Amino acid sequence: MSYEFRITKTDNNARLGQIHTPRGIINTPAFMPVGTNAAVKAMSPNEMKELGAEILLSNTYHLYLRPGHEIIKEVGGLHKFMKWDGPILTDSGGFQVFSLSPLRKIKNDGVEFRSHIDGSLHFLTPELVMEIQAALGSDIAMVFDECTPYPATREYALNSLKLTTEWGKRCLKAKNENQALFGIVQGGVYKDLRKQSAEELINIGFDGYALGGLSVGEPKESMYEMINYATPLLPEDKPHYLMGIGDLLDVLEAVSAGIDMFDCVMPTRNARNGTLFTSRGRISIKREEFKKDPEPLDPNCGCYTCKNYSRAYLRHLFMSREIQFREEQTLVLKNNFHALDPLNP
Amino acid sequence: MSYEFRITKTDNNARLGQIHTPRGIINTPAFMPVGTNAAVKAMSPNEMKELGAEILLSNTYHLYLRPGHEIIKEVGGLHKFMKWDGPILTDSGGFQVFSLSPLRKIKNDGVEFRSHIDGSLHFLTPELVMEIQAALGSDIAMVFDECTPYPATREYALNSLKLTTEWGKRCLKAKNENQALFGIVQGGVYKDLRKQSAEELINIGFDGYALGGLSVGEPKESMYEMINYATPLLPEDKPHYLMGIGDLLDVLEAVSAGIDMFDCVMPTRNARNGTLFTSRGRISIKREEFKKDPEPLDPNCGCYTCKNYSRAYLRHLFMSREIQFREEQTLVLKNNFHALDPLNP
C-alpha cells in the first residue's frame, strides 16, 4: 500500500497532517473541490493547481451515467480524461442515488434507481460501484453506503448502518489493490448507532473513515453533536473525512473535532449565486453598495481574483451573467484555512 | 498621434501588417475576440493572451447601459476594469441599437432607443458616443453609424450613408486625442453608394476604415461583391476593418480583398453550441462518433485544448453542459490564419 497518513501537529482533537499518495501529497485539513462531471465548474486543472487544490473529488454516480465508466476507462482513465494528475477521490454514489434519483429501491444486494438524466433504470451493487471506481482509476474510493435520511426512526437508522457495514465488507473484497478505500460511518442522529457503525467499520479495517449522512436536514446542533461525538471514535492514525460539508463555520467546528477532509459544492454554488466568502465574512456581490467599489473582494486575499479585480467588476460580471463569475470562493475558503495558523508548524 | 500602420508584405490586394499602438502591436490580419460586457465569455485575460489575441473588442452600447461608462471611468477605465493591458477597440453602438433595441428612432441628431435590458429610453448622439468611448478609454474608437438594414431601398441606403458621414464628422470633432478613430463605410448592397461613402469618409480623414452593414441578411454573393469592390477603394496605408464577420471562408475571402481586421461572436457562440472549427473543417462535437474518440479536436493545432484533451472529453463536457466548453474556436480560427502562410515573411 503506497498510501500513508502522517500527523504533523495536533491541538486537542484538531490535527495537521499529510496524506501521501502515489500521485502526490495532500496537506490536511483539506477541502476537496468538487468536479462532479469530471470537471470543476468553469475551472481548468491548471487553475485548480494555482488555487492550491491538492485533490479533487469526482462522482461515481454521474460518471457511470454519463459518459459511462467504460468510456473513461477506454480513453485512459479519469486523470487523463480530465487532465488532472493529482489525487482524485471518487464518491461512491450512495449519496447521489439518495439525493438525485427520482426513485430508489434499497435491497440487500444493492440499490435500484432511475437516472436523473433520462429516467432509465439502473442497479448499483457494492461490487459494481467498486468496478466503476476501478475503471475511473481514482486514488481514493469510497464504500457504497446507504445514506440515512433525516428524520429517520432508530430502526431505519440501524438497518441503514448494518447495510452500510455489509456493503463495506463487500466493497473491500472487490476493491482494486491500487486504490485506497474509505469506510462511511452512518447512524443518523443516534449517538449509540454512530458508535456501533464506527466500531463495525474499524473491525473491518479501512484506509480512512468518513462521516456520512450529515447535513441532510437535521438541526445544526445535532450535526455538531454527531461530529464532536463520532470523530474521536475514529482511528487516530487514519484520515477522517466529513462528507458534503463546506460551510466555513462548520469546517472550523469539524477541524477542531479532528476532521481532516471536506468536500462540498457550496463554495462554487454560492459563487455562482453571488455570495462570496471573505476573511471578514460573506459578501453578496449583487448589492448596490459595490457598484463603484474599486476595492478587491478581500484585501487580505492574494488570489488572482483579489489581486486583479475590483468589487465593481465582479458585481458587473454577476449582473451581466458572465461565466467568469466563478470560483473565487474556493480560494477564499483555502485562504480561510489560514485561520488555523495556531496549528501551523 | 502614436498610432501607425505598417504594411510588411502584400500579395495582390492581400497584405500582412502591423498596427502600432501605445498599448502594443497588433499583427494583421487580426481577428478581434469579442468581450461584449468587458469580458470574453468564460475566458480570463491571461488565457486570451496565451491564445494569441493582441486586441479585444468591447461594446459601447452594452457598457453604456450596464454598468455605465461613468462607473468604468471612476474605477480607472476599461483596461483596468477588465484587467487587459493590450489594445481595445470599442464598437460605437450603431450596430447594437439596430440589432438589439426593441425600438429605434433615427433622427438627424442621433438615435432614440429602448434598452434591451430594462426597456428604459435612451438617446445616443455622435458626441455622446465619443464621450462614452473616451470614458471607457479604448485605444480605437468607432464612429457612430447608421447601420443600413437589408433589404433597403437605394433611397434609404443613401440617407443612411449621408447620416453616417455627417455623424462621422461630428465624431471626429468630439474625439479624444488619445484614441484612434475609424470611419464606417455604409451603402448597403449598392456599389456606387459604397463608393460615395468611402470617398466622403476619406475626405474627412480617419485613422482607419471599416466596412459596416454587411452580413445583415444579404446573400453571400452580394456580401463578397461589396467586400471585393469597396475594400480597394480604402486608403492603402490605413487599416481596413470588416465589421461583424468571422466565418472562416468569409475571412479568407476578405483577406484576399485587402481586409486587415475582423470581429465576430460566431467562434464563441458556435463553440457554446457544440460546433468547433478545425483545420479540416467544422466538427459537431455532439455526434455519437466522438463518444470514445481519444484523438484531439484538431491534431494540427497546438493549443491547450488540443494538446490536452480528447474529443471524447469535449463531447462529454458539452453533453454535461459544463462551462469549460468554451473558446477553443478562436484558437482554431487563429490557427487557420496559418493558411495564409504564403503571405508570411
Side-chain angles (χ1 to χ4, degrees), chain A residues 11 16 29 248-249 251-252 255 278-279 332-344:
Chain A
D11 180 358
L16 285 179
L248 190 59
L249 293 180
V251 164
L252 294 177
V255 164
T278 77
S279 58
V332 186
L333 210 139
K334 187 82 189 172
N335 185 59
N336 279 337
F337 274 127
H338 299 166
L340 294 168
D341 267 351
L343 280 179
N344 269 327

Side-chain angles (χ1 to χ4, degrees), chain A residues 1 3 130 141-144 164-175 179-185 197-210 235 237-239:
Chain A
M1 165 59 72
Y3 291 84
M130 292 314 292
M142 299 301 297
V143 299
F144 193 47
T164 298
T165 299
E166 280 317 301
W167 289 356
K169 281 183 199 159
R170 286 167 55 186
C171 282
L172 190 62
K173 222 169 150 182
K175 119 182 172 71
Q179 284 174 312
L181 180 65
F182 283 20
I184 303 177
V185 175
S197 179
E199 285 172 352
E200 288 180 7
L201 294 175
I202 293 165
N203 275 338
I204 301 170
F206 290 97
D207 301 311
Y209 296 85
D237 62 342
K238 299 289 180 191

Side-chain angles (χ1 to χ4, degrees), chain A residues 212-233:
Chain A
L214 290 172
S215 196
V216 293
E218 76 282 6
K220 202 149 247 198
E221 312 84 73
S222 302
M223 183 176 93
Y224 283 178
E225 202 187 342
M226 289 305 122
I227 293 170
N228 284 309
Y229 175 75
T231 311
L233 301 177

Side-chain angles (χ1 to χ4, degrees), chain A residues 37-38 40-41 43 45-46 66-67 71 81-83 291-292 304 308-309 313 316 319 322-324, chain B residues 37-38 40-41 43 45-46 66-67 74 81-83 291 304 308-309 313 316 319 322-324:
Chain A
N37 293 306
V40 180
K41 291 204 191 305
M43 304 292 287
N46 288 347
R66 185 171 59 196
I71 285 181
F81 192 55
M82 67 186 291
K83 209 70 188 182
K291 213 167 174 174
K292 302 182 184 184
Y304 175 77
N308 286 291
Y309 292 102
Y313 185 70
H316 165 68
M319 300 309 282
E322 286 291 337
I323 309 170
Q324 277 85 344
Chain B
N37 292 307
V40 181
K41 291 202 189 307
M43 305 292 287
N46 287 347
R66 187 172 56 196
E74 214 174 306
F81 192 56
M82 67 187 288
K83 210 69 188 181
K291 213 167 173 172
Y304 175 76
N308 287 292
Y309 293 102
Y313 185 70
H316 165 68
M319 299 310 280
E322 286 291 336
I323 308 170
Q324 275 87 342

Side-chain angles (χ1 to χ4, degrees), chain B residues 259-275:
Chain B
I259 293 291
D260 309 302
M261 300 164 77
F262 301 87
D263 82 278
C264 196
V265 297
M266 204 192 62
T268 48
R269 184 178 290 161
N270 275 9
R272 293 197 303 277
N273 294 330
T275 300

Side-chain angles (χ1 to χ4, degrees), chain A residues 33-62:
Chain A
V34 179
T36 304
N37 293 306
V40 180
K41 291 204 191 305
M43 304 292 287
S44 72
N46 288 347
E47 289 171 308
M48 294 312 299
K49 279 255 161 85
E50 275 169 31
L51 181 156
E54 294 173 332
I55 177 169
L56 298 183
L57 181 146
S58 203
N59 285 95
T60 292
Y61 169 89
H62 290 83

Side-chain angles (χ1 to χ4, degrees), chain A residues 82-109:
Chain A
M82 67 186 291
K83 209 70 188 182
W84 169 261
D85 58 10
I88 297 174
L89 180 146
T90 42
D91 197 357
S92 64
F95 181 73
Q96 284 71 34
V97 295
F98 156 74
S99 64
L100 291 177
S101 172
L103 173 145
R104 178 182 71 139
K105 270 189 209 154
I106 301 159
K107 305 180 179 184
N108 274 338
D109 202 38

Side-chain angles (χ1 to χ4, degrees), chain A residues 72 140 168 244 256 266 315 336:
Chain A
I72 293 181
I140 302 176
S256 72
M266 205 194 59
R315 181 179 190 275
N336 279 337

